[in-house]
């Protein structure tokens, strides 16, 4: 068992291969957080400090003991209203209008296997060994109970957390906050890294020192958002890719999220992560319970490289599901940047013919194939083929595509409706708008109320009909606006505050049904690019379109940020045309290819417009990607540079048996008389000898990891880098 309870000390010890997490129910029943870090095999309580701090207050039972304060001691799940004045994890209003919870230890259980979260995605065992700890706490003055759940995966050093809040009493209570994680850290000098951005520049890395007070990274957009990803790293100031302490946390949730970090008066750090309280009120009637979404935690004492690998493993192998989770993804051609809305059957077939000739596996028909949809002002919701564009229908097109030897996939944006659509005319009350108020329009579209079962039924019927009719084996599931004007016709006025979370629950229910009923279909997530790139969506869609920015140089930076938590296989990434449609930049086709290969690879242009030399290059890239695909998706991934700071962006894939390594990337700017760049590899076997493909060079793993390798001389800007090392047989 990875979980131990020491009764004489009321101490819970959660142990993974390298890390340890300790919790104690103290003499007052208060659940204290004692330790999260490397394994110590020692009760770490000795590090807790009991200073006298003015103006904080002690719990009633502590009498005049001014050193015992909820406001200074590390808490496992901090409550609002009872004297811990730092950020709280949970807040509830009782029938008499008071808002307080004072949770104390009641009971616990330790079981083999990993818990699941009803109605929500969560990490599952998937062949790994995992154990569950549940600690139930009870409010001192009411019947309210909270069960904290911990899933412990010894390998790869992962602990998951969530909470269940229960109302066994006779009066309703209203939850106003229900976080998934509260983590208090004592000692050390901490900074935080978060992943901010905007559409077409998602997940930019920002690492900053903590200031005293609360800093947060959050989304109130109804999706996890382009702007602040629901993931965070706390790291000590000296932490680098390869050394130093860091803690990562990622939500398995796709809705409004808040990650708040407080540096308190005693220089202690508190991390609170969960559903954003601004969009959350939840009525718990007598006998009901509320399950928070799950968060994944990992600790590394050897820097970000190890931390990321832990997250890559658990998300790829124990969050992603279905036929495609580990299997090879098709190389696809998507027509969006080739045609936008301006296409007909002939154009699509021409693109498909060329793609088939060059070795592509699948054609994906993007936006514009349905309803009245010649631009983005109308048609969403009318999921019936537009016969003026596709006279043979979707089934006819599907057949023609398959006759060319390609699989067929299709774009859809289920959660949306255009005002100018038959669906909206028939069901205006299905859209999220506040009666009597003009709605905000995003891309001229409104959001459907996913908490409404009729909406979900309509979407299930539409999507399953499309899949059956045209034999689609891939669905690109898009979502192109943020949610506001929150009002649901299905909820009474007092419960409107539940809509934000109920929307996400409805979305998950629909995805669960579709992915179960169509196990052979590969679902790719998308939200105006990478606006909903999170572990929640990855539970249903093993890959997500990473960004609408397909410029190789920008993509290297976006994929760099994405790589801190999310595995390479989850990153949808395509080669597009130059000048790039988003930036106007020209990068060599080889650079675009190596960048897109750090993901689930494809093309997003009309291949007919390429020169013969470029077509040959595409053919060869597809062969090369297929040769390396196993290494890229199943190997370990290492960031070898910081593209936000360095003149080169390079990354490395190493096979599990360490017999092979592939370095890909680009030199950003070539200078005259250039000082050569040395890159140190990682993850190799120190004593093995590696041959650099295409050269006579043989190097030991030690040489490549400690000394490194010179990047080849380059010509021009954004010059591609590819170095393939294989174990030398000599
Ligand atoms: C946004 C997506 O990110 C694009 O790839 C494309 O599918 C468009 N939507 C279509 O409207």
């Amino acid at each position: 068992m990875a979980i131990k309870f020491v009764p004489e000390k009321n101490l819970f010890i959660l142990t993974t291969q390298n890390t340890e997490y300790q919790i104690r129910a103290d003499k007052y029943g208060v659940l204290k957080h004692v330790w999260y870090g490397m394994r110590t095999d020692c009760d770490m309580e000795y590090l807790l400090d009991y200073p006298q701090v003015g103006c904080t207050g002690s719990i009633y039972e502590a009498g005049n003991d001014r050193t015992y304060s909820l406001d200074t001691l590390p808490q496992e799940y901090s409550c609002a209203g009872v004297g811990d004045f730092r950020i709280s994890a949970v807040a509830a209003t009782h029938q008499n209008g008071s808002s307080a919870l004072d949770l104390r230890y009641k009971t616990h259980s330790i079981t083999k296997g990993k818990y699941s979260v009803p109605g929500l995605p969560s990490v599952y065992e998937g062949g790994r060994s995992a154990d569950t700890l549940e600690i139930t706490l009870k409010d001192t003055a009411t019947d309210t109970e909270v069960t904290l759940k911990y899933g412990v995966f010894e390998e790869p050093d992962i602990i998951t957390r969530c909470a269940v809040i229960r109302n066994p009493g006779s009066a309703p209570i209203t939850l106003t906050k229900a976080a998934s994680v509260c983590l208090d850290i004592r000692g050390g000098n901490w900074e935080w890294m978060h992943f901010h951005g905007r559409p077409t520049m998602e997940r930019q890395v920002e690492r900053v020192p903590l200031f005293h007070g609360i800093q947060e990274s959050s989304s109130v957009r109804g999706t996890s958002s382009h702007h602040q990803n629901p993931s965070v790293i706390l790291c000590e100031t000296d932490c680098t890719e390869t050394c130093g302490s860091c803690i990562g946390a990622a939500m398995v949730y796709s809705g409004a999220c808040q990650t708040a970090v407080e540096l308190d008066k005693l220089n202690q750090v508190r991390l609170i992560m969960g559903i954003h309280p601004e969009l959350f009120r939840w009525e718990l009637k007598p006998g009901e319970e509320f399950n928070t979404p799950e968060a994944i935690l990992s600790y590394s004492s050897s820097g970000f490289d190890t931390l990321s690998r832990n997250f890559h493993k658990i998300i790829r192998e124990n969050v992603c599901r279905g036929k495609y989770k580990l299997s090879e993804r098709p190389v696809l051609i998507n027509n969006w940047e080739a045609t936008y809305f301006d296409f007909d059957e002939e154009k699509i077939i021409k693109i498909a013919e060329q793609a088939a000739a060059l070795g592509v596996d699948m054609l994906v028909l993007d936006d514009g194939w349905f309803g009245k949809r010649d631009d983005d002002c109308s048609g969403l919701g009318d999921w019936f083929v537009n016969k003026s564009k596709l006279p043979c229908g979707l089934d006819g097109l599907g057949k023609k595509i398959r006759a060319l030897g390609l699989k067929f996939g299709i774009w859809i944006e289920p959660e949306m409706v255009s005002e100018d659509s038959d669906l909206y005319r028939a069901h205006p009350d299905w859209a999220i708008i506040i009666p009597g108020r003009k709605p905000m329009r995003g891309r001229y579209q409104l959001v459907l109320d996913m908490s409404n079962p009729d909406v979900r039924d309509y979407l299930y019927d539409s999507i399953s009909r499309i899949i059956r009719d045209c034999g689609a084996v891939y669905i690109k599931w898009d979502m192109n606006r943020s949610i506001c004007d929150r009002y649901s016709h299905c909820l009474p006025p007092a419960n409107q505050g539940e809509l934000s979370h109920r929307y996400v629950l409805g979305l998950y229910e629909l995805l669960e049904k579709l992915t179960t009923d169509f196990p052979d279909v590969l679902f790719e997530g998308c939200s105006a690019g990478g606006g909903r790139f999170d572990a929640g969506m990855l539970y249903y869609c093993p890959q997500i379109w990473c960004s609408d920015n397909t410029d190789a140089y920008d993509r290297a930076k976006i994929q760099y940020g994405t790589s801190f938590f999310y595995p390479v296989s989850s990153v949808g990434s395509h080669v597009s045309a130059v000048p790039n449609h988003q930036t106007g930049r020209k990068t060599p086709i080889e650079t675009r290819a190596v960048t897109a290969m750090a993901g689930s690879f494809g093309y997003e242009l009309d291949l007919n417009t390429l020169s013969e030399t470029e077509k040959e290059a595409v053919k060869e890239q597809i062969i090369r990607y297929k040769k390396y695909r196993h290494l890229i998706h199943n190997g370990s991934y290492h960031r070898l540079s910081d593209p936000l700071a360095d003149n080169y962006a390079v990354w490395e894939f190493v096979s599990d048996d360490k017999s092979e390594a592939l370095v890909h990337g680009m030199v950003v700017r070539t200078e005259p008389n250039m000082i050569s760049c040395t890159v140190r590899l990682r993850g190799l076997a120190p004593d093995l000898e590696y041959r650099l493909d295409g050269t006579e060079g043989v190097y030991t793993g030690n040489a490549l990891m400690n000394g490194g390798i010179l990047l080849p001389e380059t010509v021009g800007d954004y010059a591609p880098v590819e170095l393939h090392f294989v174990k030398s047989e000599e």
Side-chain angles (χ1 to χ4, degrees), residues 76-94:
E76 198 52 32
Y77 201 60
S78 58
C79 304
V82 292
D84 181 346
F85 297 96
R86 297 168 288 177
I87 21 173
S88 56
V90 61
T93 303
H94 305 282

Side-chain angles (χ1 to χ4, degrees), residues 336 366-367 411 443 476 478 480 526 528-529 545 548:
W336 179 241
D366 212 281
D367 195 354
W411 176 98
R443 215 189 181 203
K476 177 178 174 188
D478 206 349
N480 281 303
C526 176
W545 181 229
D548 267 351

Side-chain angles (χ1 to χ4, degrees), residues 701-715:
N702 260 328
L704 292 170
M705 291 193 290
N706 294 307
I709 190 93
L710 293 177
L711 291 184
E713 271 183 34
T714 53
V715 180

Side-chain angles (χ1 to χ4, degrees), residues 279-395:
L279 295 181
F280 178 74
R281 282 179 74 79
W282 197 274
E283 191 189 15
L284 267 191
K285 295 197 182 70
E288 287 184 350
E289 63 177 37
F290 178 81
N291 287 273
T292 74
E294 181 170 84
I296 310 175
L297 300 175
S298 188
Y299 170 85
S300 153
S301 65
S302 46
F304 307 125
D305 187 89
T306 306
L307 193 77
S308 293
R309 264 207 320 286
N310 294 345
F311 276 97
H312 292 177
K313 273 195 191 164
I314 207 81
I315 291 179
R316 176 161 156 80
E317 296 168 23
N318 303 77
V319 172
C320 295
R321 298 179 302 166
K323 174 175 162 177
Y324 282 97
K325 111 174 176 178
L326 300 178
S327 64
E328 290 172 344
R329 312 284 166 79
V331 173
L332 60 89
I333 176 98
N334 177 303
N335 73 302
W336 179 241
E337 287 198 20
T339 66
Y340 297 101
F341 292 106
D342 181 20
F343 64 83
D344 55 20
E345 186 181 292
E346 201 188 324
K347 261 196 197 174
I348 298 297
I349 293 292
K350 264 191 86 185
I351 292 173
E353 280 167 350
Q354 185 60 74
L358 298 181
V360 168
D361 301 315
M362 180 188 291
L363 178 123
V364 176
L365 181 62
D366 212 281
D367 195 354
W369 58 265
F370 53 91
K372 178 182 151 204
R373 187 74 172 168
D374 293 324
D375 54 32
D376 54 12
C377 294
S378 60
L380 292 171
D382 296 343
W383 301 115
F384 299 95
V385 73
N386 179 334
K387 286 255 181 168
S388 57
K389 285 185 186 173
L390 304 173
C392 303
L394 274 188
D395 53 334

Side-chain angles (χ1 to χ4, degrees), residues 116-122 253 291-293 501 504-510 512 539-540:
S116 56
V117 188
L120 285 161
S122 60
Y253 190 61
N291 287 273
T292 74
H501 183 56
V504 183
L505 292 176
L507 168 68
Y508 288 157
E509 188 192 292
L510 177 60
E512 180 68 35
Y539 187 73
Y540 306 98

